[in-house]
């Protein structure tokens, strides 16, 4: 499973709907992610911002991730969204070890 963080700039219209019907959006989106083989690990709202920070675990599959992006924008809840692939500290150490084995010649060399 791959871990991603979605950073979503939410529309005023979406916030207006939440004010009319306050509810736990993490619980509301969990069935969607479960249906495509994923899970919601964290769901945060930035204080004083119009941003959501959602950490999801998904099969490492670009088609499903693009489908998630299309669904978010198609729903009209987002002005913008960044999807960041996250690695654990253990995975980062593995990447560091791999990078130390590689060689690279800079174009300025």
């Amino acid at each position: 499973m791959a871990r991603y963080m979605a950073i979503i700039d939410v529309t005023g219209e979406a916030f207006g709907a939440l004010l009319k019907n306050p509810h736990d959006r993490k619980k509301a989106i969990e069935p969607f992610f479960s249906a495509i083989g994923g899970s919601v690990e964290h769901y945060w709202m930035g204080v004083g911002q119009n941003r959501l920070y959602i950490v999801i675990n998904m099969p490492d599959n670009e088609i499903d991730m693009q489908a998630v992006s299309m669904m978010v924008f198609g729903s009209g809840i987002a002005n913008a969204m960044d999807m960041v692939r996250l690695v654990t500290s253990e995975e980062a150490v593995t990447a560091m070890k791999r990078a130390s084995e590689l060689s690279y010649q800079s174009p300025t060399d």
Side-chain angles (χ1 to χ4, degrees):
M1 292 285 249
R3 182 177 284 126
Y4 296 88
M5 177 181 280
I7 304 167
I8 303 170
D9 287 343
V10 180
T11 65
E13 182 179 1
F15 274 118
L18 288 171
L19 294 177
K20 290 179 184 173
N21 180 25
H23 61 284
D24 186 341
R25 290 303 301 160
K26 181 179 184 224
K27 289 180 182 174
I29 66 172
E30 285 174 337
F32 166 78
F33 285 101
S34 180
I36 57 175
S39 63
V40 181
E41 187 173 325
H42 298 286
Y43 186 104
W44 298 290
M45 192 174 285
V47 175
Q49 299 180 349
N50 64 329
R51 288 196 183 106
L52 301 177
Y53 301 87
I54 305 170
V55 177
I56 56 175
N57 294 293
M58 291 286 295
D60 200 2
N61 174 330
E62 296 301 321
I63 300 299
D64 285 341
M65 293 312 299
Q66 184 60 30
V68 168
S69 179
M70 290 175 173
M71 186 276 310
V72 168
F73 283 110
S75 73
I77 67 158
N79 291 315
M81 179 175 75
D82 289 321
M83 186 72 71
V84 180
R85 172 77 158 82
L86 303 172
V87 296
T88 64
S89 60
E90 292 85 6
E91 292 167 329
V93 169
T94 300
M96 290 173 213
K97 289 176 181 177
R98 178 68 178 127
S100 71
E101 298 168 356
L102 301 173
S103 63
Y104 173 72
Q105 183 175 351
S106 169
T108 59
D109 289 343

